[in-house]
Amino acid sequence: MDEVEVVVAHTERATLRVGDVFLKVDADQARIDGEVEAMSLAPVPTPEVLWRKPPVLALAALPGTTLGRLGGSSTGSSAAWAAAGAAIRQLHDAPLPPRPGRAGRSTVALAAELDDECRLLVTNGLLPADLVLRNRRVAEAALRPWTSAFTHGDLQIAHVFVDGDEVTGIIDWSEAGQGDPLYDLATFTLGHEERLDDVLAGYGADVDLDVIHAWWSVRSLLAVRWLAEHGFDPFAPGCEVDVLRSLV
């Protein structure tokens, strides 16, 4: 009998693995609907939907392995990272999906969220004020107009699977939709700046590196408190707090 592996679990949702099947449990039906819709529209490999019975979505496991994880060493060849960059470009060049995604928040709303979060990080004593202030300045470069693309919205390296130098699939599409393509590139390379050149070589387009750095600050600033409150450790080596320290 296959054991049940808890892949990730918190108060919003949980993902379990049983053999070659992933079970995503999410009480937000709209989020599950959006994920299935995005996978059906994306021009890149995605997991096969085996069945749906709210609040559970069953997906087939993907072949291959991920390119690493935040806080761990990156794996895979330069060619594999370039292949991931090419797949991201293919996604960004696809026709726009019908709804906005996580990467498509308005700059006004995002600035307000950032300012509130920065205040709480300092007030609650999670991070030193000077570190927060300097990263808030770095983050400002992300708050500019962009041309919307089909974005994944949570493109962590743990969500991209490769077999050799070929991308075999991308998982976790619940935040997908219209948004800033540089948000995806920044999320994918967060904590692994040494792989950015490989990714951009495969992506094949000029990219404003100041905006990539800004999105690293944005994502990290917005994540620290949530992670700490949900049983994760943003202070672990190579994770969000180290990213913030590296940017100032």
Side-chain angles (χ1 to χ4, degrees):
M1 181 176 179
D2 291 319
E3 293 184 350
V4 176
E5 174 191 355
V6 179
V7 179
V8 63
H10 47 76
T11 55
E12 294 181 3
R13 66 192 95 163
T15 300
L16 311 175
R17 180 169 186 165
V18 184
D20 290 332
V21 177
F22 284 91
L23 302 175
K24 300 192 70 171
V25 184
D26 194 329
D28 187 340
Q29 186 60 39
R31 188 159 51 203
I32 289 291
D33 290 343
E35 177 163 10
V36 173
E37 178 185 57
M39 288 192 294
S40 71
L41 296 173
V44 295
T46 61
E48 177 188 359
V49 176
L50 299 176
W51 51 265
R52 296 173 66 188
K53 186 175 181 180
V56 182
L57 171 65
L59 301 170
L62 290 170
T65 59
T66 66
L67 286 169
R69 61 180 177 82
L70 185 61
S73 59
S74 62
T75 59
S77 64
S78 293
W81 283 84
I88 296 169
R89 179 63 183 274
Q90 186 178 7
L91 175 66
H92 290 168
D93 285 344
L96 291 176
R99 67 186 78 195
R102 179 72 175 170
R105 289 166 290 173
S106 76
T107 55
V108 173
L110 183 57
E113 184 181 0
L114 264 175
D115 290 339
D116 288 344
E117 194 61 35
C118 288
R119 176 179 53 80
L120 289 170
L121 287 170
V122 175
T123 301
N124 295 345
L126 280 170
L127 293 176
D130 61 337
L131 180 63
V132 172
L133 178 60
R134 293 198 300 270
N135 270 277
R136 178 61 183 84
R137 289 171 179 162
V138 173
E140 192 66 24
L143 307 178
R144 88 284 176 223
W146 64 78
T147 300
S148 286
F150 190 153
T151 55
H152 180 280
D154 190 23
L155 199 62
Q156 304 172 46
I157 58 172
H159 292 163
V160 178
F161 284 71
V162 299
D163 186 1
D165 297 335
E166 178 183 355
V167 174
T168 58
I170 300 175
I171 64 172
D172 284 358
W173 292 82
S174 60
E175 307 287 355
Q178 300 176 25
D180 180 2
L182 297 195
Y183 181 88
D184 274 353
L185 289 171
T187 301
F188 186 62
T189 54
L190 183 73
H192 291 288
E193 184 174 4
E194 76 282 0
R195 295 295 192 169
L196 181 57
D197 286 346
D198 292 332
V199 173
L200 295 182
Y203 191 73
D206 291 333
V207 167
D208 188 334
L209 295 182
D210 286 341
V211 176
I212 296 289
H213 297 159
W215 278 125
W216 287 344
S217 280
V218 171
R219 187 171 175 99
S220 298
L221 286 169
L222 294 180
V224 167
R225 187 171 60 91
W226 187 93
L227 291 168
E229 292 176 353
H230 287 79
F232 302 99
D233 186 7
F235 293 87
C239 291
E240 285 80 4
V241 175
D242 273 358
V243 171
L244 292 172
R245 289 170 178 154
S246 73
L247 289 168
V248 296

